[in-house]
Amino acid sequence: MQVTLKIFRYDPEKDKKPHYDAFKMEAEPTDRVLDLLEKAKGYQDGTISFRRSCAHGVCGSDAMRINGMNRLACKTLVQDLGVNKITVEPILGLPILKDLIVDMEPFFDNYRAVTPYFINDEPAPAKERLQSPEDRERFDDTTKCILCGACTTSCPSFWANDQYLGPSAIVNAHRFIFDSRDKGAAERLAVLNDLFGVYRCHTIFNCTLACPREIQITQAIGEVKKAIATGKLD
Amino acid sequence: MRSRTVPQRGLNFEYLMWLFTRLSGLGMYILALVGVVSALVMGARTQMDMATLMRWTFMPNPSHVASSDIVNLDAWANAFWQIMGMLIVFFAGTHGLNGLRVVIEDYIGSTWLRPVLRGLIFLIWLFMIIVAVYVILAS
């Protein structure tokens, strides 16, 4: 089938303002949008810039706006889009560096703010810190995050103000807050119980729709709000 | 599964208003329900039209009853309904204006405009409460 790939272009060293370039090409319905981008870059215009790494939906590098929705280019098939005109734009709410590449630093600043790592100062047991399957299940959903940023950059509260920690940071806080082996919940909840913590979430569910890993993000944010209100982590 | 708790959580303004929004939402349903059921018991079923009943439900003030067929206003104009009226105004006004404050927190960045708008909302809230209390006590 013949498809037209319309790509958002912006080179801050040359362009005064962004524009779109269209590339016509042959594609299979089972081709991924990433394949089309590679084809356009490889055969038509080598200056097209985008991030990609594993190309299998694991590294989270190629989150972009495809026909208006935040998706991973490597997980989106042409046939899933149902049209032969495909528009690819950078994710919203972060500064654009070039074409589809955005500066992820504000996103990772927010990520770091929730101390997204295991905290437990008690001496480690000889073998390992055991956990029951039920305790592990409690935070299973939020372990799936690949930090692609699709959720945070689909959130109007984050678009309005990047001081808002955003869904991704809260998901990664959730992953440790509800881990029975972790002891850092109080300090994480203190960060999230703030003007730019969980209270900027108004449950519009954009993040849940955008997540390529199908994490129930709004539910996770709700669980964090509940933990702040009740002090219970079960 | 053993129970895990977080011992100390800071009670800040943002948390309290988040909690207040939920509780006042529920509170308004309860107050409106008390208002409408009481009105029906006190004779609204046969002596009041729907519009007047609704006005009473959301603002139990005797001036609303005056336009109905109810002759004796004693049961409709007492301290209980004055307190009910003030509670409804407090819950609805604070809930609504806090919603406006949340929109400002969402969309106005850290500029001089934010404290100005916060202050403006507080003054509107204060003015509205004072006027409402005056009207309720004077009627």
Side-chain angles (χ1 to χ4, degrees):
Chain A
M1 64 189 286
Q2 180 86 13
V3 295
T4 306
L5 187 66
K6 202 171 133 193
I7 303 176
F8 177 98
R9 303 300 306 272
Y10 177 62
D11 181 349
E13 288 174 6
K14 285 191 206 153
D15 303 330
K16 274 194 180 150
K17 56 180 188 176
H19 62 279
Y20 289 84
D21 282 343
F23 300 90
K24 284 187 167 44
M25 63 185 77
E26 273 300 314
E28 296 293 326
T30 49
D31 274 346
R32 303 164 304 173
V33 173
L34 182 63
D35 297 324
L36 306 187
L37 281 167
E38 296 279 23
K39 207 181 257 184
K41 184 179 171 71
Y43 295 101
Q44 299 187 44
D45 184 348
T47 64
I48 301 170
S49 303
F50 56 91
R51 282 200 184 98
R52 57 92 82 198
S53 184
C54 79
H56 287 79
V58 180
C59 72
S61 303
D62 61 352
M64 51 189 77
R65 238 174 340 138
I66 301 171
N67 283 359
M69 288 273 288
N70 278 8
R71 307 166 193 257
L72 294 183
C74 61
K75 279 186 85 173
T76 308
L77 303 185
V78 172
Q79 64 187 16
D80 294 344
L81 297 169
V83 286
N84 54 9
K85 204 170 172 187
I86 300 165
T87 306
V88 186
E89 297 158 298
I91 44 181
L92 285 170
L94 293 167
I96 294 163
L97 296 178
K98 194 184 174 197
D99 297 345
L100 303 173
I101 299 177
V102 294
D103 179 8
M104 296 290 282
E105 217 33 56
F107 171 82
F108 283 113
D109 281 344
N110 292 347
Y111 172 64
R112 284 187 282 268
V114 299
T115 55
Y117 41 80
F118 185 70
I119 299 172
N120 190 337
D121 293 335
E122 291 168 9
K127 274 183 106 176
E128 60 183 304
R129 295 180 199 270
L130 289 172
Q131 186 171 49
S132 71
E134 293 77 26
D135 280 349
R136 174 62 180 75
E137 178 65 27
R138 180 66 191 85
F139 60 93
D140 186 67
D141 199 37
T142 45
T143 62
K144 296 187 293 188
C145 179
I146 55 171
L147 293 172
C148 65
C151 58
T152 294
T153 57
S154 73
C155 175
S157 293
F158 182 78
W159 296 337
N161 194 337
D162 66 10
Q163 276 180 285
Y164 168 45
L165 292 171
S168 177
I170 302 173
V171 158
N172 284 282
H174 178 285
R175 183 255 170 269
F176 290 99
I177 287 168
F178 292 96
D179 185 336
S180 61
R181 302 162 297 182
D182 186 273
K183 303 286 180 203
E187 57 192 80
R188 285 191 200 97
L189 289 179
V191 172
L192 294 167
N193 183 19
D194 183 72
L195 180 61
F196 293 112
V198 291
Y199 303 113
R200 299 275 68 77
C201 168
H202 307 306
T203 64
I204 68 157
F205 283 85
N206 270 14
C207 52
T208 307
L209 290 173
C211 180
R213 305 298 305 243
E214 294 171 5
I215 300 172
Q216 299 301 307
I217 301 175
T218 312
Q219 183 182 330
I221 297 173
E223 287 172 3
V224 172
K225 284 178 184 167
K226 200 173 161 192
I228 290 170
T230 64
K232 289 186 184 144
L233 301 177
D234 296 328
Chain B
M1 203 194 286
R2 77 201 155 81
S3 186
R4 291 173 69 233
T5 54
V6 182
Q8 285 173 327
R9 303 180 319 283
L11 286 180
N12 59 38
F13 178 70
E14 205 64 34
Y15 167 71
L16 291 173
M17 290 318 291
W18 177 79
L19 202 64
F20 176 83
T21 306
R22 272 120 200 101
L23 296 178
S24 60
L26 202 65
M28 281 187 282
Y29 275 111
I30 294 167
L31 293 176
L33 203 66
V34 170
V36 73
V37 170
S38 305
L40 290 170
V41 170
M42 292 188 298
R45 203 165 59 83
T46 52
Q47 293 162 286
M48 209 180 251
D49 61 17
M50 190 65 179
T52 313
L53 177 64
M54 284 298 106
R55 280 201 294 277
W56 171 266
T57 300
F58 296 109
M59 189 63 233
N61 192 288
S63 61
H64 293 151
V65 188
S67 63
S68 72
D69 295 337
I70 288 169
V71 183
N72 186 0
L73 289 183
D74 288 352
W76 304 76
N78 55 37
F80 175 76
W81 291 117
Q82 283 182 331
I83 292 168
M84 282 285 288
M86 285 188 238
L87 278 176
I88 286 181
V89 167
F90 175 73
F91 279 162
T94 315
H95 186 104
L97 284 169
N98 180 59
L100 202 57
R101 183 192 66 85
V102 167
V103 173
I104 285 166
E105 307 292 6
D106 280 349
Y107 292 106
I108 309 290
S110 306
T111 66
W112 58 270
L113 197 59
R114 192 156 67 177
V116 169
L117 290 174
R118 276 178 186 161
L120 191 66
I121 285 180
F122 175 74
L123 289 178
I124 292 170
W125 173 80
L126 200 64
F127 176 74
M128 193 195 68
I129 298 285
I130 291 169
V131 169
V133 168
Y134 174 78
V135 168
I136 289 168
L137 293 180
S139 56

